[in-house]
Amino acid sequence: MKRLFSTFPLIFLFLIHFHPISGQSPAAAPAPPGPDNLTSILEKASQFTTFIHLLQSTKVGDQIYIQLNNSNQGLTIFAPTDNSFSNLKPGTLNSFTDQQKVELIQFHVIPVLLSPPQFQTASNPLRTQAGGSEGQFTLNVTATGDQVNVTTGVTNATIGNTVYRDDQLAVYQVDQVLLPLSFFMPPPPVSAPSKPKEGATSPDASSDSDGDSPPDSSGANYRSGYLFLAIFSLMLVLAAFS
């Protein structure tokens, strides 16, 4: 009997270890993964260092992440390679203002999800994330067979391959930096001041005409009369004492 009680604690511990207490909640299921990070996708694909730097410095990469996280609309990204930035005229990027750099990167973002077959039937011009007035930041996509070209009025780029695609984000490699036409359009001419109507008198002319008018002679005539009266009175006084 003593031996039986000595083994009972061991059996009790064994049952507790292999049979959890009833009522214990099961482990929570893992949360679904969040939206893909564009910069992480481009880093894995390599050859997009300059584009990644601009995404980060302009904060457009953060805007894209937030948009993917809070919207089901989807996005299409045209990602220029490092070689495409090297092909730009020296000093081109440095000539852009900070605002233009933001617009440049947003110009590579289409606010809808486009699959490769949809390029065949895309309705041009395509609106970009850069927005702006009508036609200011739009581009055209044309497909001939398997080749897809993207034109901006300044740049004619070709889509090389698909870097990444899911049901919310599509990233396509392009061989040229997409430059907006609005960056290179001359500013509107400044309108010239309207000419005065013929025959109209300007304020300066009226002031000049006032200056050319004859002086008022009433004061001079008064002084002459007073002098004559004084001389005449003096002559009467002298005549009275002579």
Side-chain angles (χ1 to χ4, degrees):
M1 192 69 177
K2 184 177 180 181
R3 184 178 180 181
L4 177 61
F5 281 107
S6 64
T7 59
F8 179 75
L10 296 177
I11 296 174
F12 180 73
L13 293 175
F14 178 84
L15 292 175
I16 292 178
H17 179 74
F18 287 98
H19 296 277
I21 299 174
S22 61
Q24 183 178 358
S25 59
D36 296 293
N37 188 295
L38 177 60
T39 55
S40 298
I41 292 171
L42 295 174
E43 286 171 354
K44 292 178 183 178
S46 68
Q47 69 178 338
F48 297 104
T49 305
T50 305
F51 190 56
I52 291 172
H53 171 72
L54 288 170
L55 281 168
Q56 294 172 337
S57 63
T58 60
K59 307 299 182 183
V60 175
D62 295 338
Q63 297 171 7
I64 291 174
Y65 183 83
I66 294 172
Q67 188 168 348
L68 290 173
N69 194 37
N70 297 300
S71 166
N72 295 323
Q73 187 174 7
L75 295 174
T76 300
I77 312 292
F78 294 123
T81 62
D82 290 333
N83 287 337
S84 65
F85 281 98
S86 299
N87 291 333
L88 290 176
K89 183 179 179 181
T92 299
L93 282 181
N94 291 334
S95 68
F96 297 152
T97 65
D98 291 342
Q99 178 61 30
Q100 285 179 320
K101 290 178 181 178
V102 171
E103 294 169 341
L104 175 67
I105 301 306
Q106 291 177 333
F107 191 59
H108 290 73
V109 182
I110 308 296
V112 293
L113 182 65
L114 294 174
S115 64
Q118 288 178 307
F119 289 130
Q120 303 283 343
T121 57
S123 178
N124 290 315
L126 294 179
R127 184 174 61 90
T128 67
Q129 198 84 337
S133 59
E134 183 66 24
Q136 187 177 6
F137 289 102
T138 58
L139 45 80
N140 296 321
V141 174
T142 56
T144 305
D146 294 334
Q147 179 173 318
V148 180
N149 292 334
V150 183
T151 58
T152 70
V154 177
T155 306
N156 184 15
T158 301
I159 294 179
N161 55 57
T162 301
V163 178
Y164 178 87
R165 188 162 65 91
D166 60 18
D167 59 353
Q168 199 174 10
L169 176 65
V171 183
Y172 299 102
Q173 173 185 320
V174 290
D175 62 352
Q176 298 291 334
V177 179
L178 305 180
L179 298 174
L181 179 61
S182 61
F183 283 14
F184 302 93
M185 295 178 62
V190 179
S191 58
S194 58
K195 295 181 179 180
K197 294 181 180 180
E198 186 176 355
T201 305
S202 64
D204 293 340
S206 62
S207 62
D208 291 342
S209 62
D210 293 342
D212 294 337
S213 60
D216 187 5
S217 59
S218 58
N221 292 336
Y222 175 79
R223 288 192 297 272
S224 298
Y226 180 81
L227 180 61
F228 174 78
L229 181 61
I231 294 174
F232 181 74
S233 300
L234 180 60
M235 291 178 63
L236 290 177
V237 172
L238 293 175
F241 285 98
S242 59

